[in-house]
Amino acid sequence: MAIALDENNAWRTRSPYAERGDVRIRSFDFALTRMFGGVFSRFGNYAGKLASRVRLVDECAPLFTDLSDAELAEAARQLRGPLLRHGFRPDLVARSFALVREASFRTLGLRHYPVQIQGAWALLDGKFAEMQTGEGKTLTALPAAITAALSGRPVHVITVNDYLAARDAAELGPVYRALGLTVGVIQHEDEADTRRAAYACDVTYGVNKEIAFDYLRDGLTLGKQRSYASRMAGKLSGAGEMPPLLLRGLYFAIVDEADSILVDEARTPLIIAGTDNNPLPAPVFKDALRFARQLKPRIDFVESGGGHDIELTRAGSESLKQLTAKLSGIWEARKAREEMINYALAAIHHYKKDQHYVVVNGKVEIIDEFTGRIAEGRSWQHGLHQLIEAKESCEITQRHQTQTSITYQRFFRRYLHLCGMSGTISEVTGELRAVYDVSVVRIPTHRPSRRVAHGTRLFRTSEQKWAAVVASVQDQNREGRPVLIGTRSIETSELLSNMLKASGVDHVVLNAHHDREEAAIVAQAGLPGRVTVATNMAGRGTDIKLGNGVDANGGLHVVLTEFHESARIDRQLIGRGGRQGEPGTFEVIASLEDELPRVFAPTLTGLIQRGLPSERTTLPSALARTLQLFAQNQAQRLQYRIRQHTLHQQNERDTLLAFAKPD
């Protein structure tokens, strides 16, 4: 029988496995903590405590240096009992960390730096560790994961995509096995038995969506047996044993790229859906698109929130009524037809091919905006997916009905121990503290950064921008340096690819159309003279190793071709170069016609366009910076409002943005 803590700090039974009970976050407390949470986390001398704990680990190191591999494994086995009895007592943790560092050096040839030991101890203390990009967060998670596993806790190491989950599990697997621990990995295509076996391991690597969906599947499997009383009643009545579940509980989670998963993706509820009992015929979706195309912007409908929200005006409602006057069914009910047309307008005006979705083998596949990858098996709700299928002349699939859903805020708060890492987390310290009750600690860098900024150039037009990008790539290419060019969509990555081809620049493209080649492309991206054009797939978690001689030529050069809605995503791409004290440079080449200024700062952008002298092609750097900060601030305010809606209205899902997973 598992126990969980309710909001009154009383223990109660509610689940077949360990998880924390839901805690209601009061609006006043949330606002106060979000405002001052970052300030509170700076009080005390926690950084000094971490430094002293590194010395404890160093003192324990001689205990394991002369042991054989078998004796090292036996030492890990002997730590299980004390850790289980006494928990994460400092002397036991120091022994465990020293043991892991020795095993890592023997199996991988990598010995943890002091800052990585600090980061690992912060994780064990239930903190979010901010470590600069390139500081080795994958290796940092290892001592914390192994120590937690030796204490008897099933550990979930949560990453942002399947590629990173499989890579990290494979790379670190020898260390786990050397210490007698098992490691599993969850992949999108895995069947239930494979998933169950992976969760049965001491440490399981997986993507946030996959683990959360498996948690929802367990809830559907249990049905009415969710509570302890119901399960006991079932046994007494002869109903049989509880059906097999996938997870063993929500014990210990290490969230890599924590700001992306816990903040950026937290606006998107996760839904498991079943077959719609009242399906709409395919012609309804085609008719909806036909009617929507006849409505006029700013007269019949208005857009807000960057195009996410589209509403009919009174004139538009009347126009729609006239267009559908002779039709029956859904078109006879005002609320139903207007809701359908709102989704149809969004499908036409907001959701773009090769930006929000791709068409693969006649199927509409969603692109995850944070990772740039295909979100396989997922669909939009309430007919939006079918409308986009009709728009692209694909076979129209059946709509789904929601069976169960959960928000990321609710799911991750249920872990008994939650911690994580990121290189770009300081801006959302207050929100993380308010939502998840976890504070942020900054970990120093192992070596001083040698990354050099080449400035920002903001051009008047897209044509001028792309010409400047090509010229910059040619300059770096002549010096034999590898270049990574970041784009926001498949469409722009392929546009730039065509321009580079026309200029005679050899290059490779990494986007959702080439995701199966990702490992090979990333492995070669740091070679001399290599040019890589990539979407967000080359952002978080991607480690580009420099080839021979690249250091002497200045390292990897990163070109950002468009600002993202969050400056944190920009910094993640920039952080692919100049890692762990290596040389590297970056520059920003953008334009006033890009999506961010055009959508989130249209008035200011228009004023700048009109006030810029015709002979000048770029903005002064101060003005460019002002426009960037203003537009990104507007975008982040919108995203925050969406997250607030998700947090406080969990029973009224934002289905336009929600992903659905067919059961």
Side-chain angles (χ1 to χ4, degrees), residues 352-387:
K352 308 296 183 185
K353 183 179 178 182
D354 288 340
Q355 180 177 348
H356 300 101
Y357 63 90
V358 292
V359 178
V360 180
N361 298 324
K363 290 177 59 180
V364 171
E365 300 277 12
I366 295 170
I367 297 175
D368 188 313
E369 64 181 296
F370 302 106
T371 67
R373 292 170 172 79
I374 291 176
E376 295 184 34
R378 294 176 174 85
S379 61
W380 287 294
Q381 285 284 280
H382 283 207
L384 176 61
H385 202 88
Q386 288 69 29
L387 286 161

Side-chain angles (χ1 to χ4, degrees), residues 245-295:
L245 302 178
L246 296 172
L247 282 76
R248 290 192 290 152
L250 303 182
Y251 287 89
F252 194 102
I254 300 175
V255 184
D256 194 11
E257 307 300 350
D259 59 322
S260 176
I261 293 172
L262 300 179
V263 176
D264 295 334
E265 296 195 46
R267 63 178 182 163
T268 308
L270 297 170
I271 296 171
I272 286 184
T275 303
D276 192 340
N277 295 325
N278 298 295
L280 291 174
V284 168
F285 301 104
K286 296 177 181 178
D287 287 341
L289 291 174
R290 179 164 54 86
F291 297 143
R293 290 189 176 106
Q294 297 179 58
L295 299 178

Side-chain angles (χ1 to χ4, degrees), residues 510-562:
L510 177 59
N511 59 34
H513 288 314
H514 306 87
D515 57 345
R516 297 186 186 279
E517 307 162 39
E518 178 175 5
I521 292 174
V522 170
Q524 299 179 38
L527 298 179
R530 186 78 165 182
V531 177
T532 307
V533 179
T535 58
N536 285 349
M537 289 177 67
R540 293 181 182 270
T542 305
D543 190 13
I544 297 175
K545 307 291 187 183
L546 299 184
N548 292 333
V550 172
D551 263 23
N553 285 338
L556 179 71
H557 182 68
V558 178
V559 182
L560 184 69
T561 63
E562 189 171 349

Side-chain angles (χ1 to χ4, degrees), residues 1 15-16 222 225-235 242:
M1 180 181 67
S15 175
L222 286 168
Q225 298 186 58
R226 184 81 189 179
S227 71
Y228 176 72
S230 296
R231 293 196 302 278
M232 292 299 100
K235 287 184 178 181
M242 185 176 67

Side-chain angles (χ1 to χ4, degrees), residues 273-577:
T275 303
D276 192 340
N277 295 325
N278 298 295
L280 291 174
V284 168
F285 301 104
K286 296 177 181 178
D287 287 341
L289 291 174
R290 179 164 54 86
F291 297 143
R293 290 189 176 106
Q294 297 179 58
L295 299 178
K296 300 171 184 176
R298 294 185 297 277
I299 297 175
D300 294 322
F301 65 91
V302 292
E303 299 179 48
S304 62
H308 289 92
D309 300 320
I310 297 180
E311 293 184 6
L312 289 175
T313 63
R314 185 173 297 178
S317 181
E318 185 60 34
S319 297
L320 179 61
K321 182 179 178 180
Q322 294 176 10
L323 288 169
T324 60
K326 297 181 180 180
L327 299 178
S328 58
I330 188 176
W331 305 113
E332 293 179 293
R334 181 184 65 81
K335 186 175 181 180
R337 68 172 176 257
E338 290 185 1
E339 183 180 71
M340 177 63 73
I341 291 301
N342 281 338
Y343 288 129
L345 289 167
I348 294 169
H349 297 286
H350 174 65
Y351 290 89
K352 308 296 183 185
K353 183 179 178 182
D354 288 340
Q355 180 177 348
H356 300 101
Y357 63 90
V358 292
V359 178
V360 180
N361 298 324
K363 290 177 59 180
V364 171
E365 300 277 12
I366 295 170
I367 297 175
D368 188 313
E369 64 181 296
F370 302 106
T371 67
R373 292 170 172 79
I374 291 176
E376 295 184 34
R378 294 176 174 85
S379 61
W380 287 294
Q381 285 284 280
H382 283 207
L384 176 61
H385 202 88
Q386 288 69 29
L387 286 161
I388 293 176
E389 289 172 333
K391 170 186 167 184
E392 297 296 340
S393 300
C394 296
E395 180 183 354
I396 297 177
T397 58
Q398 195 168 346
R399 290 199 309 176
H400 296 93
Q401 283 184 328
T402 298
Q403 293 183 340
T404 184
S405 65
I406 197 167
T407 63
Y408 275 132
Q409 292 98 327
R410 176 180 287 178
F411 173 70
F412 282 104
R413 286 205 307 262
R414 289 182 176 176
Y415 273 96
L416 300 183
H417 184 108
L418 177 64
C419 57
M421 307 170 290
S422 178
T424 51
I425 204 170
S426 57
E427 296 99 319
V428 289
T429 296
E431 186 170 345
L432 288 169
R433 183 68 178 265
V435 175
Y436 303 101
D437 194 25
V438 178
S439 58
V440 173
V441 57
R442 290 186 177 182
I443 306 298
T445 58
H446 176 57
R447 297 190 184 99
S449 175
R450 296 167 61 193
R451 189 182 299 125
V452 177
H454 283 184
T456 297
R457 286 182 285 167
L458 192 60
F459 287 86
R460 183 193 293 271
T461 67
S462 295
E463 290 79 10
Q464 294 166 344
K465 174 184 79 171
W466 293 120
V469 170
V470 172
S472 177
V473 172
Q474 288 174 321
D475 289 343
Q476 301 298 332
N477 202 233
R478 280 192 289 269
E479 296 179 12
R481 296 182 64 188
V483 182
L484 174 65
I485 312 161
T487 64
R488 282 194 62 178
S489 68
I490 295 174
E491 181 182 16
T492 53
S493 69
E494 295 183 345
L495 168 67
L496 178 57
S497 176
N498 291 332
M499 294 183 68
L500 291 172
K501 284 178 185 175
S503 301
V505 177
D506 289 333
H507 63 282
V508 292
V509 178
L510 177 59
N511 59 34
H513 288 314
H514 306 87
D515 57 345
R516 297 186 186 279
E517 307 162 39
E518 178 175 5
I521 292 174
V522 170
Q524 299 179 38
L527 298 179
R530 186 78 165 182
V531 177
T532 307
V533 179
T535 58
N536 285 349
M537 289 177 67
R540 293 181 182 270
T542 305
D543 190 13
I544 297 175
K545 307 291 187 183
L546 299 184
N548 292 333
V550 172
D551 263 23
N553 285 338
L556 179 71
H557 182 68
V558 178
V559 182
L560 184 69
T561 63
E562 189 171 349
F563 289 114
H564 292 80
E565 293 178 9
S566 169
R568 290 180 288 108
I569 301 176
D570 295 337
R571 296 209 310 277
Q572 286 288 343
L573 181 65
I574 289 167
R576 297 314 99 194

Side-chain angles (χ1 to χ4, degrees), residues 114-128:
V115 295
Q116 292 172 326
I117 294 295
Q118 290 183 39
W121 212 311
L123 297 179
L124 218 54
D125 282 347
K127 309 285 187 183
F128 290 132

Side-chain angles (χ1 to χ4, degrees), residues 460 592 597 601-613 619 623 627 630:
R460 183 193 293 271
L592 292 173
T603 303
L604 181 57
T605 301
L607 289 172
I608 292 172
Q609 283 276 29
R610 290 190 293 273
L612 197 66
L619 270 68
L623 187 57
L627 178 60
F630 179 80

